[in-house]
Amino acid sequence: MENNSTPRLDDIDLRLLKLLQHNSNLTVKELGARVNLSATPVFERIKKLEKNGFIKKYAAILNAEKLNKGLVVFCNVTLKEHTRSIGRQFVKDIIALKEVVECYNISGDYDFLLKIMVRDMKEYQNFVLDHLGSIKNIGSAHSTFVMGEIKHDYAVPI
């Protein structure tokens, strides 16, 4: 155990995590063949990794363009006031917006960084006017539009 609460990962655990984050459809048998273990210990290790929070969830990665959500916008938001209740309300409001796919509380010139996915500029304009603009206590919002994706990897570097 590390830090009295986090289980220590060995080389096989790390290899399993690498394999799963690149292809979570691999069967326990296929994983076992790649880490030189039989299916039962691989299954037990995966369950332990899930139980201990190393694996948060499994998901399919969708093609945003084929689903007509190909415009990606990064929006830096500054709040007018900084109190715990205002911050909590902002977070609650942002979580409710399906177009916001990621939100980070950041340091520096801005308070939050939002990643927003919409169909096109017109849909983004409507999103800003109808949804983002209606959130109380936003002081400013600065948008940056993605012209092309160079690298997008979901994997955690292990």
Side-chain angles (χ1 to χ4, degrees), residues 67-71 73 98-99 116-131:
L67 294 166
N68 215 14
K69 297 294 178 185
L71 179 63
V73 182
K98 67 178 175 32
E99 296 87 353
I116 301 161
M117 296 179 76
V118 291
R119 179 180 57 251
D120 54 24
M121 288 295 281
K122 183 69 175 168
E123 186 175 334
Y124 184 66
Q125 180 184 29
N126 290 335
F127 168 78
V128 170
L129 295 174
D130 298 337
H131 300 290

Side-chain angles (χ1 to χ4, degrees), residues 5-101:
S5 64
T6 304
R8 187 178 193 121
L9 300 178
D10 64 16
D11 184 54
I12 292 173
D13 291 329
L14 292 173
R15 287 170 47 205
L16 286 170
L17 290 172
K18 282 183 185 180
L19 289 165
L20 284 170
Q21 75 177 344
H22 289 288
N23 183 357
S24 65
N25 281 334
L26 291 172
T27 66
V28 173
K29 185 177 178 181
E30 291 169 324
L31 290 165
R34 295 185 188 191
V35 298
N36 297 319
L37 287 177
S38 65
T40 300
V42 168
F43 178 80
E44 291 170 355
R45 282 175 179 262
I46 291 170
K47 289 299 165 196
K48 188 171 134 190
L49 290 166
E50 291 170 352
K51 180 183 172 209
N52 290 317
F54 289 101
I55 298 172
K56 291 169 61 172
K57 68 178 183 176
Y58 298 92
I61 299 169
L62 307 180
N63 184 326
E65 286 186 25
K66 286 193 177 275
L67 294 166
N68 215 14
K69 297 294 178 185
L71 179 63
V72 177
V73 182
F74 289 98
C75 183
N76 291 295
V77 174
T78 303
L79 299 180
K80 290 179 195 172
E81 298 178 65
H82 297 86
T83 67
R84 190 174 307 274
S85 63
I86 288 171
R88 282 187 184 139
Q89 185 59 51
F90 174 81
V91 168
K92 184 179 175 185
D93 292 340
I94 289 299
I95 289 172
L97 299 175
K98 67 178 175 32
E99 296 87 353
V100 178
V101 296

